[in-house]
Amino acid sequence: MLPTPEQVSALETTLHAVNKAANDVSRAGFGAHGLKGSVKQLRSLHYAGLKDRGLGAQAAQHVIKRVVDAYTTLRGNIRNGNLGKPGSKRRVQA
């Protein structure tokens, strides 16, 4: 299936909005909770704001879950030494 030009435009707009929302949630969530933000914590802080931005309920939930999953992956990579030894430039940057 090939989307129409209008559908392509709508998909691009939605993708950019969701990615920007995820970046904003991540930035604010990291500031408030570090890498230990849970779905419940981030939902209580950001769900209403995401809905006010025009994201639907399901999209808002997915953005929050995506951020929490990224935190979990990053914590696991740090814990398992995949980003270098403690104090290494790569690990500190992560």
Side-chain angles (χ1 to χ4, degrees), residues 78 81 83-89 91-92:
I78 290 170
L83 298 173
K85 296 179 181 179
S88 70
K89 183 178 178 181
R91 185 169 175 158
V92 169

Side-chain angles (χ1 to χ4, degrees), residues 13-25 53 63 66:
T13 302
T14 302
L15 182 62
H16 289 297
V18 166
N19 285 339
K20 183 175 180 344
N23 286 334
D24 294 344
V25 168
R53 285 179 154 183
V63 165
R66 181 174 143 190

Side-chain angles (χ1 to χ4, degrees), residues 26-91:
S26 179
R27 191 174 300 111
F30 184 78
H33 304 289
L35 290 177
K36 298 186 187 239
S38 69
V39 171
K40 184 176 181 180
Q41 291 167 329
L42 294 183
R43 186 182 303 135
S44 68
L45 290 174
H46 301 289
Y47 180 77
L50 292 173
K51 294 279 291 167
D52 290 344
R53 285 179 154 183
L55 291 178
Q58 189 173 16
Q61 295 288 3
H62 282 290
V63 165
I64 292 166
K65 181 70 171 127
R66 181 174 143 190
V67 170
V68 172
D69 288 346
Y71 285 174
T72 302
T73 300
L74 183 55
R75 280 194 321 264
N77 282 326
I78 290 170
R79 181 181 55 248
N80 294 326
N82 296 338
L83 298 173
K85 296 179 181 179
S88 70
K89 183 178 178 181
R90 184 174 177 203
R91 185 169 175 158

